[in-house]
Amino acid sequence: MDLKALFSTKLSEVLKGSLTTKEIYSLIETPKNDEHGDLAFPCFQLAKIQKISPIEIAKQLASQINDTVFSKIDAVGPYVNIFFSKKELGKAIINPILHQEQNYGSSEIGKEKTVVLDLSSPNIAKPFSMGHLRSTVIGNAIANLAKKCGYRTVKINHIGDWGTQFGKLIVAYHRWGNEEAVAANPIGELFHLYVRFHQEAEKNPYLEDEGRAAFKKLENGDSEYLKLWESFRNESLRAFKSIYDLLSIEFDSFQGEAFYNDKMDEIVQMLKEQSLLELSDGAEVVRLDEQQIPPCLIKKSDGATLYATRDLAAALFRQREYKFDEALYIVGQEQTIHFQQVKGVLKKLGYVWAEQMEHIPFGLILQHGKKMSTRKGRVILLEDVLNEAIKLAKKNIVEKNPGIHNPDEVANAVGVGAVIFHDLKNDRMNNIEFSLRDMLTFEGETGPYVQYTNARAHSILRKYKGTDVCFEGLDDDESWDVLKLLNEFPRIIERSYKQYAPSILAKYLIHVSQAFNKYYGKIRILAEDEHLQSRVSIVKAVTIVLTEGLQLLGMKAPKEM
């Protein structure tokens, strides 16, 4: 139930067309202090229309609104402040939650629409570092939100398995590689070779030319180079899978950059036919001056293709394959111009669906205030972080609850969830300083705090001796604070998706947890009186919302901690 919409409708009936219901809705505010009401309507806009003092208008409206859904209506200066009837509206809020359970918050805004999401996309032959976490968990949460809103989702892991870096890696392997060492520790050894290449190239710049030449041979189908590249790719995917399993994330496609090798000629030919290609220092580019974007490089002077060429081919393939209504690229903010160029070229080719392509940028995860770098070997491995988080979570859980039945399962849910939540609670455009200690605390704005709140609510339900719950109405402020928040869940989900901002949902779950813990601290929930079932029904509704909210963020919600 949208309480603002309810208030808007009642005001509209009294105002009789002075403002539309939509205009009224946009003006309604939520008072900062609960003592001033649940909602407030400022009368300044009406004062301009009616040429009457806003204070006088507030008095008139307060006297004219009369409905059982309001327990109190006050004119306070130029504002009409309303208090809802807690008992009356409490039933209308709680019953749909209890009835729908995990379907609560679902919508149909995406009905019969498809959204394709390009996320995670690590480079093969390099370790999966903390730097890859953001695209992975932000993209997964957005996909979950889209599905909750009724969209068909297609999650694509556009693996970085092509490009000049593989020429460099092949050169490094031939110069310094050891077949047995690579077989024993593929990712670690290949990463070591990649870092060494860049260290040596600083002293010997000709290595860069050697790397580019090796990639050109790879592009031209050299059998030895292709065999090496394929082994790098297979070993990398095996290593990545163990991390995705830890995160409980699945993909619909692992079609990486190499998949589009035979699909780029069509794009290049289209650009030629429409006279969009120009020579610039020997390279072929598409100028985007009218869009005030730098030229998009399609082919280097040696004829080698680039990220843009492959992304153009990928966009065209995805539109043909999935007929997407939205295509979301969850990629760091440093790629903003790249995606503007890709979109700009597609628009010049006449593809109107390019307007549905959206780059979803995000900030960096920093280590001691610095960006992580694979070239310089300055990385924190995500798998190490997840395993350490699980280990520390188990230590905390066993200390707090020595008799817990499934400590390993719960530790996994809490440790991994702590890492995910620490990322998602932040606005995606903000940079985040890596801190395992901050992630794992059971207090404050953390994943374990929300999970523990949910487990505490489940513990109350286990102690409840009744078989059914039914909300018959409560009048206390603490329960009303919880109810108002639970009521917002459907709108929070829509807003989180429309703004591509899982942080909105994460912060909301913190507020629900805080309100419930305040309620738990002040009210004897299991007291044997006539309001017992109503109080327990609130507890159950809290577990439904917290569990579903955590799952939408890509986290597990253990019932015991």
Side-chain angles (χ1 to χ4, degrees):
M1 173 184 289
D2 189 338
L3 297 181
K4 276 178 72 174
L6 179 60
F7 185 27
S8 302
T9 303
K10 301 300 177 185
L11 276 170
S12 180
E13 290 169 3
V14 174
L15 290 172
K16 295 182 171 61
S18 296
L19 292 171
T20 66
T21 306
K22 190 175 180 181
E23 287 170 330
I24 295 168
Y25 187 96
S26 68
L27 292 170
I28 291 172
E29 302 172 5
T30 302
K32 290 180 181 177
N33 191 328
D34 289 343
E35 291 176 6
H36 296 156
D38 294 314
L39 294 172
F41 177 72
C43 298
F44 305 106
Q45 188 81 6
L46 277 175
K48 289 179 184 176
I49 296 168
Q50 298 181 5
K51 312 296 184 192
I52 305 174
S53 155
I55 295 173
E56 190 58 39
I57 292 173
K59 287 177 185 174
Q60 290 176 11
L61 286 177
S63 65
Q64 290 171 332
I65 302 168
N66 183 21
D67 199 288
T68 56
V69 297
F70 305 120
S71 62
K72 186 180 175 186
I73 304 165
D74 279 342
V76 181
Y79 288 86
V80 177
N81 292 358
I82 59 103
F83 297 78
F84 286 108
S85 169
K86 299 180 180 68
K87 279 192 175 184
E88 184 81 18
L89 286 185
K91 294 176 189 176
I93 291 169
I94 284 287
N95 290 332
I97 303 175
L98 299 179
H99 177 67
Q100 295 174 48
E101 296 215 7
Q102 68 267 29
N103 289 325
Y104 179 59
S106 298
S107 77
E108 294 192 344
I109 61 169
K111 188 178 180 183
E112 297 180 359
K113 292 180 182 176
T114 296
V115 58
V116 170
L117 303 101
D118 185 319
L119 66 149
S120 194
S121 308
N123 291 324
I124 65 169
K126 293 182 190 176
F128 202 122
S129 76
M130 280 295 289
H132 296 104
L133 177 72
R134 302 216 70 192
S135 172
T136 307
V137 299
I138 292 171
N140 187 58
I142 291 172
N144 292 339
L145 288 162
K147 195 172 284 188
K148 186 79 172 172
C149 290
Y151 288 86
R152 172 201 173 213
T153 59
V154 181
K155 289 194 287 184
I156 298 173
N157 197 334
H158 188 69
I159 296 290
D161 59 1
W162 206 247
T164 309
Q165 70 265 34
F166 296 105
K168 295 176 181 179
L169 189 60
I170 287 168
V171 169
Y173 181 80
H174 281 150
R175 279 177 173 259
W176 311 295
N178 178 293
E179 192 174 340
E180 290 178 3
V182 171
N185 178 22
I187 300 299
E189 190 61 24
L190 291 172
F191 177 50
H192 169 72
L193 290 172
Y194 182 77
V195 172
R196 183 171 178 183
F197 178 93
H198 286 282
Q199 289 170 341
E200 297 287 342
E202 286 180 7
K203 295 178 278 185
N204 178 10
Y206 292 107
L207 273 176
E208 295 283 351
D209 294 331
E210 203 176 323
R212 282 190 285 271
F215 175 59
K216 193 71 176 69
K217 281 181 74 175
L218 180 64
E219 273 207 308
N220 291 338
D222 182 283
S223 58
E224 182 204 345
Y225 283 18
L226 279 171
K227 188 177 178 183
L228 265 180
W229 169 81
E230 198 168 299
S231 70
F232 296 163
R233 189 180 194 276
N234 290 341
E235 290 296 342
S236 298
L237 288 178
R238 268 195 285 275
F240 294 160
K241 187 178 184 306
S242 65
I243 294 162
Y244 292 130
D245 286 347
L246 267 177
L247 291 167
S248 300
I249 292 177
E250 296 179 348
F251 296 90
D252 299 295
S253 165
F254 278 88
Q255 289 166 348
E257 292 184 60
F259 176 78
Y260 300 99
N261 281 346
D262 63 352
K263 298 170 179 61
M264 289 184 285
D265 285 347
E266 181 186 2
I267 283 285
V268 175
Q269 191 59 36
M270 284 181 190
L271 292 170
K272 283 179 180 174
E273 287 171 2
Q274 295 192 34
S275 303
L276 293 173
L277 279 182
E278 293 183 25
L279 280 175
S280 175
D281 296 327
E284 293 183 270
V285 305
V286 175
R287 299 192 70 85
L288 299 165
D289 299 351
E290 71 283 1
Q291 298 179 45
Q292 297 182 315
I293 303 171
C296 183
L297 189 55
I298 302 299
K299 276 193 173 183
K300 294 182 184 177
S301 54
D302 63 2
T305 56
L306 292 103
Y307 290 121
T309 329
R310 290 186 280 280
D311 276 345
L312 289 165
L316 186 57
F317 174 83
R318 291 170 188 176
Q319 175 55 225
R320 288 169 175 171
E321 183 75 8
Y322 306 114
K323 296 178 174 55
F324 61 74
D325 297 279
E326 292 179 42
L328 308 180
Y329 294 82
I330 300 91
V331 183
Q333 60 184 325
E334 64 273 15
Q335 295 297 322
T336 297
I337 291 174
H338 165 76
F339 285 107
Q340 288 174 348
Q341 290 171 325
V342 169
K343 194 169 176 176
V345 171
L346 289 168
K347 283 162 76 173
K348 286 193 88 162
L349 282 169
Y351 290 119
V352 292
W353 48 260
E355 289 293 349
Q356 275 70 60
M357 293 167 58
E358 198 75 44
H359 174 214
I360 314 299
F362 51 83
L364 302 169
I365 291 184
L366 304 177
Q367 182 184 8
H368 308 306
K370 293 181 180 177
K371 179 181 177 180
M372 297 177 190
S373 169
T374 50
R375 288 188 180 191
K376 296 178 181 177
R378 190 172 63 236
V379 294
I380 298 174
L381 301 187
L382 179 56
E383 191 166 17
D384 290 349
V385 170
L386 293 174
N387 287 327
E388 183 64 18
I390 290 167
K391 187 172 126 187
L392 289 173
K394 186 174 179 181
K395 182 173 177 286
N396 287 344
I397 288 160
V398 171
E399 282 175 5
K400 287 177 179 288
N401 186 359
I404 193 166
H405 300 303
N406 49 350
D408 291 328
E409 186 183 327
V410 174
N412 188 296
V414 174
V416 173
V419 175
I420 293 172
F421 195 87
H422 183 71
D423 187 305
L424 296 183
K425 75 175 182 182
N426 290 283
D427 184 290
R428 61 177 162 79
M429 292 306 295
N430 292 344
N431 293 336
I432 302 172
E433 182 67 36
F434 170 74
S435 170
L436 198 56
R437 185 188 64 187
D438 290 347
M439 291 177 187
L440 280 162
T441 177
F442 278 63
E443 296 164 0
E445 299 182 353
T446 67
Y449 171 71
V450 178
Q451 288 171 314
Y452 183 68
T453 302
N454 183 55
R456 168 182 273 176
H458 274 289
S459 173
I460 294 168
L461 294 179
R462 286 194 294 273
K463 291 172 186 172
Y464 174 58
K465 295 187 175 76
T467 53
D468 298 314
V469 292
C470 175
F471 188 85
E472 294 174 348
L474 293 168
D475 264 332
D476 61 282
D477 292 335
E478 288 76 18
S479 68
W480 182 237
D481 288 343
V482 177
L483 287 172
K484 282 191 292 184
L485 276 170
L486 297 178
N487 181 58
E488 283 302 302
F489 190 50
R491 280 160 294 287
I492 290 291
I493 290 169
E494 280 197 20
R495 191 148 54 92
S496 299
Y497 179 69
K498 285 177 178 177
Q499 295 182 27
Y500 308 124
S503 60
I504 293 173
L505 174 58
K507 288 168 185 170
Y508 164 81
L509 295 180
I510 290 166
H511 294 150
V512 171
S513 299
Q514 290 168 338
F516 175 73
N517 285 320
K518 182 180 174 185
Y519 179 59
Y520 175 84
K522 288 196 173 184
I523 305 293
R524 284 188 61 227
I525 294 171
L526 294 177
E528 295 283 350
D529 59 28
E530 71 274 19
H531 297 306
L532 173 60
Q533 281 202 36
S534 292
R535 291 192 298 269
V536 173
S537 69
I538 291 177
V539 177
K540 185 170 183 182
V542 166
T543 65
I544 290 167
V545 167
L546 289 183
T547 298
E548 184 63 9
L550 287 167
Q551 289 173 349
L552 288 170
L553 293 178
M555 298 166 61
K556 291 177 180 170
K559 293 182 179 180
E560 187 181 7
M561 277 174 67

